Amino acid sequence: MAVGVMIVAFRKILDAASMDLKDSLSKFKQQQERCQSSLASIANQASTSKPKHRAQPINAPSVPARPAQPIKFSNDTERLQHINSIRKSPVGAQIKLVIELLYKTRQAYTAEQINEATYVDIHGNKAVFDSLRNNLKVHYDGRRFSYKSKHDLKGKDQLLVLIRKFPEGLAVVELKDAYPKVLEDLQALKAAGEVWLLSNMDSQEDIVYPNDPKAKIKVDDDIKQLFRGIELPRDMVDIEKELQKNGHKPMTNTAKRRAAAQIDGVKPKAKPKKKQREITKRTKLTNAHLPELFQNLNT
């Protein structure tokens, strides 16, 4: 009797343990299912959140694309070292890189696009940002940076209009950065007879002058002959007197200079005589057929 009671009690314990084990397995399976669901959700979010190609505005500049090559550890290290060297360089060197980009492309760039093209981090360096924003060759509209030339010209027609506003001449150096092909257009205008392109001997700079068709005057031949037939006085004193009669102030005063020379007894310096070269026996003679020329030959 006691044995039967013990067996019944043992079975109840086994049944209870089996029920607990089943509950634990059921909970474990539910946890596994929840984990799998969470992992799948994370994977979907990662695939959908990958950066896509953003559509740029119509007028947005195209940043030079870099070749898509498999990145090796050594290549990536060199690239990171190059970026670090640029960002550690002086402010002036970084500004030079940005201005060269703006000058060559003549397009407007955001700070992010400049960073992609030159590795210059404008937003990360306040000194670079302030220097670039206040640079005379840079225009900043609050979002984009672009090159600012002295004369805002778009082509040959506008160039000719500007030159005609300067009848006294315009230095070519002021036009060189107007737009990339400005020097070619200058040569084309010169070939077409629209402008005169002359060199200034003092400053060694080219000056461009407008060749206005309205300024061309046709002179008759009889007027030319009359002008050329006027005989000027031979004495400088008489020339100065004629200039004074016509209301012009001569740059020289010959009468005063001559009077001072007479008082001080200053005589005009005589030109030094050129020393004649003596002929010796070692001199190479080309007129040997004329012996009378060499009678006084020095020995």
Side-chain angles (χ1 to χ4, degrees):
M1 185 68 180
V3 174
V5 173
M6 290 177 65
I7 292 172
V8 171
F10 184 69
R11 285 180 176 176
K12 289 182 178 181
I13 292 172
L14 288 176
D15 291 340
S18 177
M19 291 296 294
D20 292 339
L21 182 61
K22 287 181 179 180
D23 291 340
S24 298
L25 287 174
S26 177
K27 291 180 180 179
F28 178 74
K29 289 180 179 180
Q30 291 177 359
Q31 289 178 354
Q32 289 291 326
E33 291 175 355
R34 285 197 295 269
C35 289
Q36 291 293 336
S37 177
S38 299
L39 290 174
S41 177
I42 292 172
N44 291 332
Q45 290 179 359
S47 61
T48 57
S49 62
K50 288 182 179 180
K52 297 181 179 180
H53 180 69
R54 294 179 295 177
Q56 294 183 348
I58 296 176
N59 297 327
S62 58
V63 179
R66 298 185 177 87
Q69 297 179 351
I71 298 177
K72 298 180 181 180
F73 178 76
S74 58
N75 294 340
D76 192 54
T77 302
E78 293 177 0
R79 184 179 67 87
L80 294 176
Q81 290 176 346
H82 177 62
I83 294 173
N84 183 63
S85 65
I86 290 177
R87 295 182 178 176
K88 294 292 185 181
S89 63
V91 174
Q94 299 185 51
I95 295 298
K96 184 175 182 292
L97 288 175
V98 176
I99 293 181
E100 285 180 351
L101 173 68
L102 302 180
Y103 174 77
K104 291 178 180 178
T105 61
R106 300 304 175 101
Q107 296 182 6
Y109 290 87
T110 62
E112 292 77 11
Q113 291 170 333
I114 291 175
N115 190 5
E116 292 177 9
T118 63
Y119 300 124
V120 176
D121 186 11
I122 297 176
H123 286 330
N125 192 326
K126 187 176 183 301
V128 173
F129 175 76
D130 291 340
S131 180
L132 192 63
R133 183 184 60 180
N134 298 322
N135 194 287
L136 297 176
K137 292 295 182 180
V138 177
H139 173 70
Y140 179 61
D141 62 1
R143 184 169 178 267
R144 296 180 183 273
F145 297 88
S146 59
Y147 188 81
K148 181 173 65 175
S149 57
K150 184 172 183 178
H151 299 286
D152 186 15
L153 306 175
K154 304 301 181 184
K156 184 166 61 176
D157 294 337
Q158 294 183 8
L159 174 63
L160 181 58
V161 171
L162 176 67
I163 294 173
R164 286 178 175 172
K165 293 180 180 178
F166 293 87
E168 71 282 1
L170 182 63
V172 175
V173 70
E174 296 185 10
L175 301 172
K176 284 185 177 179
D177 66 342
Y179 56 93
K181 294 184 178 180
V182 64
L183 296 180
E184 296 179 12
D185 288 344
L186 274 176
Q187 294 297 333
L189 291 173
K190 177 185 176 182
E194 298 288 348
V195 300
W196 298 100
L197 196 57
L198 306 176
S199 296
N200 189 334
M201 300 304 293
D202 295 332
S203 59
Q204 300 297 324
E205 292 181 356
D206 290 339
I207 309 293
V208 59
Y209 298 88
N211 186 14
D212 191 355
K214 298 178 182 179
K216 295 181 179 180
I217 301 174
K218 185 177 180 180
V219 181
D220 296 334
D221 292 337
D222 55 349
I223 297 179
K224 294 179 181 178
Q225 293 177 1
L226 180 63
F227 174 79
R228 293 168 182 167
I230 299 175
E231 185 177 356
L232 294 177
R234 295 182 179 276
D235 195 340
M236 193 63 188
V237 176
D238 297 332
I239 294 177
E240 293 172 356
K241 288 180 179 179
E242 291 295 331
L243 288 174
Q244 292 175 352
K245 287 180 182 179
N246 290 276
H248 299 288
K249 184 179 180 181
M251 298 298 295
T252 59
N253 193 334
T254 306
K256 183 178 180 180
R257 179 171 56 82
R258 290 178 180 174
Q262 291 178 357
I263 294 174
D264 298 336
V266 179
K267 297 182 179 180
K269 294 182 180 179
K271 293 183 179 180
K273 293 183 179 180
K274 187 175 181 181
K275 185 178 180 180
Q276 293 182 354
R277 183 180 177 184
E278 295 182 353
I279 301 176
T280 64
K281 290 183 178 181
R282 293 184 181 181
T283 306
K284 185 178 180 181
L285 304 177
T286 58
N287 295 326
H289 61 287
L290 299 174
E292 63 272 11
L293 298 177
F294 312 108
Q295 293 178 357
N296 298 324
L297 184 66
N298 297 332
T299 57

